[in-house]
């Protein structure tokens, strides 16, 4: 196992998917950086939407923390089961903390990382509210992903290397939903984008406490490529 994969496993160990925070324990994890970029992973553990639990998006928290570690960026993640959904509800602790960090640290860009279901026909989906949430960075993000082999077109393109741009997930959300990307752009006035990653690009090895059935291993080569792309972005 490469150093990148080993480090992702180590960082993911801090996340307990099904467990609520114990008394005095932090439900939200925060990595302080020196670069004015923040990586967000609001679905790192099980979360609650409209009163119903939704499964964790495995290794999104570890990815955010690893990229922050490698670049000096900030990271904000959920590390314990959440009674809310920060990517749906408006006034929740995760967004309040995110807003304070953006103001205090002069954050200039937020990248919100999510995980898709395994039946999606793409590897990466970029959502920028059709370009509105990060008009000056959108093409750069696409270029960096394409340089790492995640492309929009190609006759021989494997689904796991397919890049969906503002198609399946625009990051705008539904009428009653406030995504993290929308919150950051519309209420904080900071450029933001959303990345949705297929399990093959993020799950090093499914753990025994995961909601989805075991076993599952992602593609080590693709995981390392997406880490490299995120570092470059």
């Amino acid at each position: 196992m490469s150093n990148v994969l080993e480090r992702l496993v180590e960082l993911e160990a801090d996340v307990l998917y099904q467990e609520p925070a114990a008394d005095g324990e932090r439900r939200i994890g925060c990595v302080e950086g020196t670069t004015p970029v923040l990586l967000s992973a609001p679905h790192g553990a099980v979360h609650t939407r409209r009163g119903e639990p939704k499964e964790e998006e495995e290794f999104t928290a570890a990815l955010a923390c690893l990229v922050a570690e490698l670049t000096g960026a900030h990271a904000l993640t959920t590390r314990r089961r959440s009674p809310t959904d920060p990517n749906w509800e408006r006034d929740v602790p995760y967004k309040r903390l995110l807003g304070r960090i953006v103001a205090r640290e002069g954050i200039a860009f937020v990248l919100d990382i999510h995980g898709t279901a395994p039946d999606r026909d793409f590897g990466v989906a970029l959502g920028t509210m059709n370009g509105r949430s990060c008009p000056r960075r959108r093409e750069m993000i696409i270029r960096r992903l394409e340089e790492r082999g995640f492309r929009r077109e190609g006759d021989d393109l494997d689904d796991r290397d397919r890049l969906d741009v503002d198609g399946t997930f625009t990051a705008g959300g539904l009428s009653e939903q406030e995504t993290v990307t929308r919150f950051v752009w519309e209420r904080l006035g900071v450029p933001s984008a959303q990345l949705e990653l297929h399990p093959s690009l993020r799950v090093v090895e499914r753990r025994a406490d995961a909601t989805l059935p075991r076993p599952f291993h992602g593609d080590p080569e693709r995981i390392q490529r997406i880490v490299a792309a995120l570092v470059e972005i």
Side-chain angles (χ1 to χ4, degrees):
M1 188 181 293
S2 76
N3 290 339
V4 166
L5 302 183
E6 289 174 356
R7 186 59 179 145
L8 284 170
V9 171
E10 290 172 356
L11 291 167
E12 189 73 355
D14 181 60
V15 183
L16 300 182
Y17 302 141
Q18 313 284 348
E19 300 296 322
D23 289 344
E25 188 177 39
R26 293 178 297 109
R27 188 174 73 242
I28 302 171
C30 184
V31 175
E32 294 186 3
T34 56
T35 301
V37 171
L38 186 143
L39 296 137
S40 164
H43 290 166
V46 170
H47 47 287
T48 307
R49 180 181 297 178
R50 294 173 167 175
E52 296 295 327
K54 290 183 66 65
E55 68 201 36
E56 68 282 353
E57 295 172 2
E58 304 158 89
F59 282 86
T60 55
L63 276 170
C65 291
L66 176 59
V67 174
E69 197 174 86
L70 293 172
T71 62
H74 302 258
L76 193 66
T77 67
T78 50
R79 53 189 296 273
R80 295 293 183 271
R81 187 184 184 106
S82 174
T84 63
D85 182 351
N87 203 47
W88 188 277
E89 299 169 60
R90 287 179 62 88
D91 186 23
V92 293
Y94 188 94
K95 281 175 173 160
R96 291 196 291 270
L97 180 54
L98 194 160
R100 291 197 296 271
I101 295 170
V102 166
R104 184 182 70 233
E105 303 296 336
I107 299 298
F109 179 64
V110 174
L111 186 62
D112 194 42
I113 301 172
H114 291 266
T116 71
D119 59 352
R120 294 293 184 182
D121 62 352
F122 54 78
V124 186
L126 172 65
T128 68
M129 296 173 63
N130 295 306
R132 288 187 293 119
S133 66
C134 62
R136 297 177 60 185
R137 292 172 173 83
R138 185 174 185 263
E139 291 307 313
M140 176 276 289
I141 296 170
I142 293 169
R143 186 167 63 252
R144 294 289 182 256
L145 289 166
E146 290 183 334
E147 287 170 354
R148 288 293 175 175
F150 302 105
R151 296 176 286 128
R152 287 171 285 183
E153 298 178 352
D155 294 337
D156 60 343
L157 194 60
D158 186 286
D159 278 353
R160 298 292 77 82
D161 291 327
R162 188 176 305 281
L163 171 61
D164 178 296
V165 178
D166 283 310
T168 308
F169 297 99
T170 67
L174 303 176
S175 59
E176 68 271 33
Q177 178 184 10
E178 183 187 61
T179 64
V180 169
T181 300
R182 181 181 290 279
F183 164 72
V184 172
W185 174 240
E186 293 186 349
R187 288 215 269 157
L188 304 183
V190 171
S192 58
Q194 175 180 294
L195 271 189
E196 295 270 356
L197 303 175
H198 189 275
S200 295
L201 276 66
R202 55 185 167 85
V203 181
V204 179
E205 181 177 8
R206 180 155 291 146
R207 294 186 342 202
D209 62 334
T211 302
L212 293 176
R214 297 179 72 208
F216 179 82
H217 295 79
D219 183 324
E221 189 266 344
R222 286 188 171 97
I223 294 172
Q224 292 177 87
R225 278 199 279 133
I226 200 65
V227 169
L230 288 171
V231 166
E232 289 162 359
I233 290 168

